[in-house]
Amino acid sequence: MQTGVPNGTTSGTNPAAVAPETSKAGQRIGVPREIFPGEKRVATVPEVVEKLIKLGFAVSVESGAGDAANCSDDSYRAAGAQIVDTAAALWATSDIVFKVCVPTPAEVDMMREGGILIGFIWPAQNPELMQQLTAKKATVLAIDALPRMLSRAQKMDALTSQAGVAGYRAVIEAANAFGRFFNGQITAAGKVQPAKVFIAGAGVAGLAAIGTAVGLGAIVRANDTRAEVADQVVSLGGEFVKVDYEEEGSGGGGYAKVMSEGFQQAQRDMYAKQAREVDIIITTALIPGKPAPKLITAEMVKTMKPGSVIVDMAAERGGNCELTVPGEAVVRHDVTIVGYTDLASRLAKQSSTLYGSNLWRLAEELCKAKDGIANVNMEDDAIRGLTVTKDGTITWPAPAPKLPAAATAPAKAAAAPAAKKGGHGHGGGGGEPMAGSKLAIVFGVAAALFWLVGNSAPPAFLSHFTVFVLACFVGYMVVWNVKPALHTPLMSVTNAISSIIAIGALVQVSPLAGAVGRPNDWISWVAAAGIVLTAINMFGGFAVTQRMLAMFRK
């Protein structure tokens, strides 16, 4: 870790010298150097400093805070931040402090009374820290307490961003400890079989690990207690391994819940089978506030192939493997068990950039007026969930956020059977079939219209009209049988390829230039308008399709 030695011309060592600048630029955000052993991350990066300044804040960074994340003091200066020589000066002159790790008692002692602290706090695990912060009359926003079920809170979700980095790094650590290729190869020296990877837990970290392992060419299997993640595993190129036991495993806030003993036994049997077959196991199972569940026993480790690897991402909470040593990589029964607790910190630049972006998004919510003054609005569900102390009063745990969509869903579900029973179903509302009497009336009216058209229209028009009606019917049935979530990609493709009607419009518009004043001149003008609208439909469809495909390209 860096020692924080002054680098060149620094300023801010005198707290009084900072006060006038703070009053001009709004509140001052301070970013101290992380002192937790081995921590390389920093709470913001130069690119984010510029965005914070645009919100009206002034920014101070402790000298050397970003060195381990490849962010030099000069780069912070260039972005508009002030470099402060010591941690004491930074804490004393900062209205708001951005941190990564849980602050130590010594750091809280340096904090300005009535200040704002934003970072990882883990209030349930740190009651003494909470009391110390209240004594400082501090307002504390714990980024780990964010209500993750709120869609608008996702941009501030540091747990997700850091878990994604850790999942990626877990695969890199596995590849480093593994003695062979991940991907299969056929060489002059012989055939190399692809590595088999099993990932226990398909949350954010697990899905990141799946994508990384698949990208390296491994055969990837994964399991999770939440059945709904099976499609996500398959979409990333993995195989979902199901436990032969029916039980729902979804818990609150995107986490899994504690399963029954029957499910756990069936799960252990499945893990034992995978341990014998695969080369690498990556475990990610954690339940908030509880020790990590033991998924991989010593007996399972003994049955693994020599040279196999286990990466235990739950090592900080005791580990999912019985033989894990937190913070170390050990070899047991010819199997390397990696128990590093700083996976995100091992990609310090990337994780710091993502974390800094999360805090910037939070600053946007706190400072909507862009005047450099943070407003902790307790009426905002996302901000209320984050706030664990407000002006020295403990406000944690927060009440459950209001979820209007979830609250109205049961009412809609209850109304559907009633509508069906009364014979008033809707043909296009939520996929309910049309009532028999209403369907008969619709078909009767349609038949009468067809008879009138067929009795009076010329044969040429009737043939075209028949094709038009059939096309409408087929198109309607195609869209009707597709899930609503897929309507946008479906329509973008069909819009792009169905614009062959432009050919018909071109045929009609071709006499326009030399036949102005003809009795059917209006047909040519309508055809010209049709070409314009069809071109918009055609190129718009291709543009939307291209943007959607770009989302899945590396």
Side-chain angles (χ1 to χ4, degrees):
M1 296 297 293
Q2 302 298 318
T3 59
V5 177
N7 181 8
T9 58
T10 61
S11 59
T13 55
N14 182 3
V18 181
E21 193 172 337
T22 301
S23 62
K24 293 179 182 178
Q27 291 179 312
R28 179 166 293 276
I29 295 174
V31 181
R33 180 170 56 89
E34 299 296 327
I35 61 175
F36 187 83
E39 183 58 68
K40 299 178 181 178
R41 290 173 292 178
V42 63
T44 197
V45 295
E47 298 86 349
V48 175
V49 167
E50 296 175 354
K51 299 175 182 178
L52 293 171
I53 292 175
K54 288 180 180 178
L55 290 176
F57 295 105
V59 180
S60 294
V61 179
E62 184 183 350
S63 180
D67 287 352
N70 303 119
C71 299
S72 66
D73 289 351
D74 288 339
S75 65
Y76 282 112
R77 285 194 192 90
Q82 182 184 34
I83 301 301
V84 179
D85 292 342
T86 65
L90 182 127
W91 282 87
T93 58
S94 299
D95 304 292
I96 305 169
V97 175
F98 283 1
K99 272 204 42 81
V100 179
C101 297
V102 176
T104 64
E107 287 178 315
V108 177
D109 286 339
M110 293 186 290
M111 185 177 179
R112 172 185 289 184
E113 186 168 315
I116 299 175
L117 174 65
I118 302 175
F120 285 103
I121 302 297
W122 304 107
Q125 287 80 37
N126 297 289
E128 296 85 1
L129 174 65
M130 294 288 287
Q131 294 299 325
Q132 189 181 8
L133 289 167
T134 57
K136 279 282 186 177
K137 296 182 173 56
T139 296
V140 180
L141 279 69
I143 202 71
D144 48 273
L146 181 76
R148 304 173 78 186
M149 69 287 297
L150 297 176
S151 58
R152 57 180 290 266
Q154 293 177 2
K155 61 186 178 181
M156 301 178 279
D157 190 356
L159 284 173
T160 293
S161 66
Q162 301 304 290
V165 175
Y168 173 89
R169 183 68 190 199
V171 177
I172 302 303
E173 294 294 342
N176 181 58
F178 190 51
R180 296 194 289 109
F181 294 141
F182 262 49
N183 63 322
Q185 296 185 17
I186 298 177
T187 69
K191 183 178 180 181
V192 178
Q193 295 293 337
K196 294 179 180 179
V197 179
F198 177 72
I199 296 172
V204 175
L207 292 173
I210 292 169
T212 306
V214 169
L216 289 175
I219 296 173
V220 182
R221 305 169 185 172
N223 168 262
D224 197 281
T225 57
R226 299 160 292 184
E228 65 268 18
V229 305
D231 290 340
Q232 300 176 42
V233 172
V234 174
S235 70
L236 288 170
E239 173 192 351
F240 187 77
V241 182
K242 195 170 183 287
V243 177
D244 190 17
Y245 193 97
E246 294 298 330
E247 183 177 350
E248 176 54 43
S250 295
Y255 293 98
K257 70 175 185 180
V258 179
M259 307 300 289
S260 67
E261 181 55 38
F263 181 93
Q264 292 181 36
Q265 182 57 51
Q267 187 182 53
R268 282 191 290 268
D269 294 340
M270 182 270 291
Y271 284 150
K273 178 182 178 183
Q274 294 300 321
R276 292 191 296 268
E277 296 178 359
V278 303
D279 304 297
I280 296 168
I281 296 177
I282 298 175
T283 65
T284 70
L286 273 177
I287 298 172
K290 297 182 180 292
K294 299 300 181 185
L295 305 178
I296 308 298
T297 64
E299 291 301 319
M300 295 180 194
V301 176
K302 290 180 182 179
T303 64
M304 295 182 71
K305 304 171 188 175
S308 297
V309 178
I310 297 174
V311 180
D312 194 340
M313 295 186 64
E316 190 173 5
R317 299 293 297 167
N320 295 137
C321 177
E322 288 184 347
L323 303 180
T324 296
V325 178
E328 299 182 20
V330 297
V331 178
R332 300 288 186 269
H333 308 294
D334 290 330
V335 175
T336 301
I337 304 172
V338 179
Y340 297 148
T341 57
D342 60 346
L343 290 171
S345 183
R346 287 171 179 255
L347 285 171
K349 177 65 173 180
Q350 183 67 76
S351 53
S352 297
T353 300
L354 293 174
Y355 185 69
S357 296
N358 294 139
L359 296 193
W360 163 59
R361 291 296 187 181
L362 174 56
E364 279 188 322
E365 294 295 317
L366 295 173
C367 185
K368 293 184 177 179
K370 297 185 179 180
D371 57 358
I373 304 299
N375 175 29
V376 182
N377 180 13
M378 299 297 274
E379 299 299 320
D380 185 315
D381 282 341
I383 301 302
R384 175 64 186 88
L386 282 167
T387 307
V388 295
T389 71
K390 178 73 161 62
D391 298 327
T393 302
I394 294 179
T395 59
W396 181 87
K402 301 171 186 177
L403 299 174
T408 58
K412 291 181 179 180
K420 185 176 181 180
K421 183 177 180 181
H424 299 289
H426 299 284
E432 289 294 327
M434 189 180 292
S437 58
K438 191 173 182 179
L439 189 63
I441 293 173
V442 171
F443 272 101
V445 172
L449 290 174
F450 276 119
W451 181 81
L452 288 173
V453 172
N455 192 44
S456 58
F461 175 81
L462 187 61
S463 63
H464 290 303
F465 184 70
T466 302
V467 172
F468 172 75
V469 172
L470 289 175
C472 291
F473 177 75
V474 171
Y476 173 79
M477 294 304 295
V478 167
V479 176
W480 179 268
N481 288 286
V482 172
K483 293 181 178 180
L486 298 177
H487 281 177
T488 298
L490 171 70
M491 295 308 295
S492 68
V493 175
T494 54
N495 285 352
I497 65 177
S498 67
S499 296
I500 195 171
I501 58 175
I503 296 176
L506 287 170
V507 171
Q508 294 296 329
V509 81
S510 58
L512 181 62
V516 176
R518 296 186 313 154
N520 63 345
D521 181 53
W522 63 274
I523 296 178
S524 297
W525 286 110
V526 170
I531 291 175
V532 174
L533 296 175
T534 303
I536 295 173
N537 201 38
M538 184 187 309
F539 292 107
F542 279 122
V544 174
T545 303
Q546 187 67 22
R547 290 187 65 179
M548 287 189 298
L549 291 175
M551 294 170 60
F552 299 96
R553 294 195 182 104
K554 293 184 179 180

